[in-house]
Structure formats: C-alpha cells, structure tokens
C-alpha cells in the first residue's frame, strides 16, 4: 500500500492514509473534523512510489483519514500476538518449572521409598558380618563347653551301631576308652 | 589312621580297653562296605543321616575330624586329640593307672 502522509491545515496533525489520495479529494481530519483538500504539493513529497493504484472515494477518504485511529488500535493488535506469545511462553515456562519441581519432589519422595526397600534386604546381610565367623571360631579351639574339658566326666552317649544295635558309652565304664569321631572320607 | 588303630586294638586285646568310634558317614551302606574293606572291627556309634551334623558330634561339639577323646575307666575325659604314639602313650598311662588302683 502506498500510504500518504499529510498535514491537516487546521490542527497541523500529521495524517496518514491507507492508500493514495488523488488530487482534489477532500479529506476529513479525524482529530479536528476539518474537511480539507490535501495540499497538491504535499502529495508528491510524501509519495514514495508515484504509481496510483486506487481511487479513494470520499467515504474512503474518511476511512483513510480514520485510519490513523485504527492503526494505533491495530498496533496493539499486532503486538497482541507478541504479548500472547510471551504470556504463552511464561505459562509454558511456569508449567515446565512446576512440572520439574513436581518431578523432583516425586523423585525425592520415591527415593526414600526405594532406599528402605534396598536396605531391607541389606538387613539379612548383617548376619554375614563377623558375628557369624566368630561362632565357628570357638569350635576350632578345642574344649568349648566346660563339661567337655579334660578332667570332666564324659557325657554319656546313647546310640546305635552301624547294624542298628543300641548301646551306650557308659557300657564301657571300667575300661580305658578311646572315643574316635571318624568318617570314611 | 585305620592301621594304627587296628594295631592298637590288636595290641591291647584282652586288656581293659575299648576303641569306640562315632561314625559321621551319612550313607550307611557305603560305610558298611568301607568297614569291611578296611577291617574295622571296633564298634562305632552311627552319627545318623545328618553325617557330620549328627546329634553325637553336635553334643560333643566336634567340628573337626578325626577327633580323639581318651577316657579313663571312671569315665573321665583325660586326653584330647592325641595321635599316633601320643595316643598309645595316653592309653598305656591310663591302663597302668587302672592296674595300680586295683
């Protein structure tokens, strides 16, 4: 659009038209309401491109004159997408932040849940710590309980021999006995 | 181990002496075959199907094999884990002690 720029002779307001205004067309200043014919000299000055494309009727001229108002309106309208974009970006960013924070909270909450699960099986591991190796220790050293030490009366044994015949160690009282724990391995 | 015990049993035949075993083989059938093969004539308690975890070895806190206990005529434990000549000497000492108290 080859818009025109001209001055209202009455209030000196700078007016812009949406389209070219042919010479002789009367325009109405939107600010002071004065109807005027644009200065013929002013037109060529303002015209960047000299090819007239459209004839503007008086009605159009008023529209063209009024176009100063729609434009300020249209500027915010053009900016609105920007503000909308910014607002959208802010909303998105806040959503991401909130979502991220929620996820972090979830992870933080989930981790303590998982860790106890890990530590529960860790409890059975405790029996594997030295306390167990220690009990096998005493049997390695001879004579664990007092009643089995040298000088004590040997505990009696009641059992069966290989053929299933019952007998007792005390059956051999009065004899020197070598008691031999053995295995054929 | 078996040869020495065999000779001990043979040497002290007729004396107030007995060699008593506590066998910890879980498989009785295999044990019988082994006893025949090794000419193990002395009597043994069987530690049961639990093998080395049988009731007798548990009661006596035996966790290493063989485990030797020398008990005098009064039933008192006098020596532990004596092998070879030491076992012979221990038994002879106790037999002499028994002879002297008669």
């Amino acid at each position: 659009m080859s818009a025109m720029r001209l001055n209202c002779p009455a209030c000196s307001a700078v007016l812009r038209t949406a389209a070219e205004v042919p010479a002789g067309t009367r325009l109405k200043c939107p600010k002071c309401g004065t109807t005027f014919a644009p200065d013929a000299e002013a037109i060529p000055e303002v015209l960047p491109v000299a090819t007239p494309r459209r004839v503007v009727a008086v009605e159009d001229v008023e529209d063209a004159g009024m176009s100063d108002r729609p434009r300020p309106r249209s500027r915010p309208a053009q900016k609105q997408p920007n503000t909308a974009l910014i607002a959208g970006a802010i909303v998105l960013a806040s959503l991401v932040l909130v979502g991220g924070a929620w996820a972090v909270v979830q992870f933080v909450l989930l981790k303590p849940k998982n860790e106890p699960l890990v530590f529960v099986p860790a409890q059975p591991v405790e029996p594997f710590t030295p306390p167990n190796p220690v009990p096998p220790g005493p049997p390695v050293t001879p004579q664990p309980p007092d009643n089995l030490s040298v000088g004590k009366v040997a505990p009696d044994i009641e059992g069966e021999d290989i053929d299933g015949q019952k007998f007792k160690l005390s059956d051999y009282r009065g004899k020197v006995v070598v008691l031999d724990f053995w295995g054929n391995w | 181990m078996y040869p020495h015990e065999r000779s001990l049993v043979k040497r002290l035949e007729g004396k107030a002496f007995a060699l008593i075993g506590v066998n910890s083989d879980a498989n009785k059938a295999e044990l019988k075959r082994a006893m025949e093969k090794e000419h193990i004539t002395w009597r043994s308690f069987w530690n049961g199907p639990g093998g080395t975890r049988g009731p007798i070895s548990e009661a006596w806190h035996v966790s290493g094999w063989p485990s030797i206990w020398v008990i005098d005529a009064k039933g008192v434990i006098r020596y532990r884990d004596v092998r070879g000549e030491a076992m012979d000497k221990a038994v002879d000492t106790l037999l002499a002690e028994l002879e002297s108290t008669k």
Side-chain angles (χ1 to χ4, degrees), chain A residues 141-175:
Chain A
T141 57
Q143 297 139 355
D146 198 43
N147 65 321
L148 289 170
S149 54
V150 169
K152 301 282 178 173
V153 175
D156 199 9
I157 300 174
E158 289 184 54
E160 294 181 1
D161 63 15
I162 310 303
D163 298 317
Q165 288 207 319
K166 289 187 178 179
F167 72 113
K168 293 188 286 184
L169 179 63
S170 56
D171 293 343
Y172 294 85
R173 195 63 59 90
K175 287 186 176 181

Side-chain angles (χ1 to χ4, degrees), chain B residues 15-16 27 34-35 39 47 55-56 58 63 65 93:
Chain B
K15 301 263 183 179
N27 190 319
M35 286 177 75
H39 303 287
N47 205 15
I56 304 170
E58 292 282 306
S63 57
W65 282 262
T93 303

Side-chain angles (χ1 to χ4, degrees), chain B:
Chain B
M1 195 80 189
Y2 303 140
H4 182 80
E5 286 162 341
R6 275 201 299 269
S7 65
L8 180 70
V9 170
K10 193 169 185 180
R11 182 171 68 86
L12 298 176
E13 216 171 351
K15 301 263 183 179
F17 169 78
L19 175 60
I20 305 294
V22 178
N23 178 270
S24 290
D25 284 286
N27 190 319
K28 230 178 184 180
E30 273 184 30
L31 173 61
K32 276 191 176 184
R33 278 197 295 274
M35 286 177 75
E36 285 170 18
K37 186 185 168 194
E38 299 286 343
H39 303 287
I40 296 170
T41 55
W42 56 90
R43 209 172 185 190
S44 282
F45 290 102
W46 188 50
N47 205 15
T52 56
R53 292 187 172 273
I56 304 170
S57 61
E58 292 282 306
W60 285 64
H61 291 257
V62 170
S63 57
W65 282 262
S67 179
I68 307 292
W69 306 66
V70 183
I71 300 162
D72 67 17
K74 293 174 182 170
V76 176
I77 300 166
R78 300 292 295 273
Y79 301 91
R80 277 216 55 190
D81 290 326
V82 281
R83 308 275 163 89
E85 283 183 20
M87 187 202 286
D88 285 2
K89 205 174 174 181
V91 172
D92 288 341
T93 303
L94 293 181
L95 281 175
E97 190 181 291
L98 177 62
E99 288 292 325
S100 66
T101 54
K102 274 182 181 174

